[in-house]
Amino acid sequence: MKKIIILKTGNTFPAMAKSFGDFEDWIFKGLGVGKDKIRVVDIPKGEALPVVETCKAVVISGSHASVTQNLSWSVAIEKWIPKLIQSKIPILGICYGHQLLAKAMGGIVDFHVKGIEIGTAAIEIVEDGTQDPLFKGLPKTFKANVCHSQTVIRLPDHSVSMAKNSFEPNHAFRIGQSAWGVQFHPEFDDRIMAAYAENMEATIKESGLILSEILDKIEPTPIPLKILERFGKLVE
């Protein structure tokens, strides 16, 4: 039976994993599909990429690595993604996965000139996003949790922008009819976001930001979760 693949590209902080689980747990919960329909593949640990024909859909997780490091396992995924696109296998790339999807299809990824974006941020759906299967009918502006210092500087040719904000012009995009990238984290709830900020206090200080101000602005983010749920229903 074909499976929905959660492509695990890293781990959260160990203390967070003990309390909340890891990336694949949050994604699985957000998708809202049966556990028998999911297969988790941990690429950095050396697990092989699935044969394309065995994939019903693919969700590429976030990571503490950087896309521009061009780590061997990351480059392998990058070369694999076009095969999924050609086979019209639905893809959802989250944060690192969003950036890797863009890079694999000819976009440009690098560090954001403004540094890190972290916490709960306002996201705006752009015109093309209003008719998209994952974004249609959602509020034009919604809150989402973010945690990234790299960005898609240039989208791939023929991709369609879905969402942006004042910090990040490419918060979401689509390639064709079945591949999406979202820079924000639909799988993060407010507890996970707060724990992330606390674990990244040193980085936040180095960036000239104030942890207490970030924590004060963290709030529930039900709208991005709907995007993840919609992807789950689309491919179930």
Side-chain angles (χ1 to χ4, degrees):
M1 185 177 86
K2 290 185 177 183
K3 299 275 189 176
I4 299 169
I5 306 297
I6 297 178
L7 211 62
K8 184 174 165 67
T9 62
N11 301 284
T12 189
F13 296 104
M16 284 187 63
K18 288 181 181 178
S19 299
F20 304 113
D22 211 335
F23 298 137
E24 68 272 24
D25 302 305
W26 311 335
I27 291 168
F28 166 67
K29 182 180 178 182
L31 288 172
V33 301
K35 202 161 190 177
D36 60 322
K37 297 179 180 179
I38 297 285
R39 178 186 167 202
V40 178
V41 181
D42 193 330
I43 299 300
K45 281 193 174 180
E47 291 188 35
L49 285 162
V51 175
V52 169
E53 289 74 20
T54 67
C55 303
K56 191 168 189 181
V58 176
V59 182
I60 307 173
S61 80
S63 178
H64 291 181
S66 296
V67 167
T68 56
Q69 288 177 280
N70 291 315
L71 298 169
S72 58
W73 57 262
S74 185
V75 172
I77 299 170
E78 195 178 320
K79 291 177 179 177
W80 183 68
I81 286 172
K83 299 175 185 176
L84 296 173
I85 300 282
Q86 289 163 11
S87 298
K88 298 182 179 179
I89 306 295
I91 306 169
L92 178 63
I94 298 172
C95 195
Y96 188 94
H98 159 89
Q99 296 163 12
L100 195 59
L101 173 62
K103 188 168 183 283
M105 300 307 293
I108 297 176
V109 175
D110 209 336
F111 285 94
H112 199 293
V113 293
K114 294 181 182 178
I116 191 171
E117 184 183 33
I118 185 167
T120 303
I123 308 293
E124 178 189 348
I125 300 174
V126 300
E127 186 61 32
D128 285 331
T130 61
Q131 298 304 312
D132 180 80
L134 298 190
F135 289 83
K136 185 177 181 179
L138 299 180
K140 185 171 176 57
T141 302
F142 61 89
K143 295 292 183 69
N145 290 317
V146 297
C147 184
H148 69 110
S149 57
Q150 291 211 315
T151 177
V152 178
I153 292 175
R154 192 186 77 193
L155 289 172
D157 292 342
H158 310 299
S159 60
V160 181
S161 178
M162 297 282 106
K164 65 177 183 176
N165 68 5
S166 58
F167 184 97
E168 175 55 66
N170 297 315
H171 248 300
F173 71 97
R174 189 187 73 236
I175 296 172
Q177 297 303 311
S178 57
W180 292 267
V182 292
Q183 182 61 72
F184 53 87
H185 284 275
E187 80 282 20
F188 280 19
D189 62 20
D190 51 339
R191 299 175 309 145
I192 291 168
M193 187 68 258
Y196 246 100
E198 288 165 352
N199 274 275
M200 295 181 67
E201 183 173 8
T203 301
I204 288 168
K205 285 183 178 178
E206 287 170 9
S207 301
L209 302 174
I210 299 170
L211 175 62
S212 60
E213 292 182 358
I214 291 167
L215 292 173
D216 285 345
K217 293 177 182 177
I218 291 172
E219 60 183 83
T221 53
I223 300 304
L225 185 58
K226 288 183 184 294
I227 294 169
L228 191 52
E229 290 173 347
R230 284 181 175 185
F231 185 79
K233 288 178 181 177
L234 187 72
V235 303
E236 191 175 9

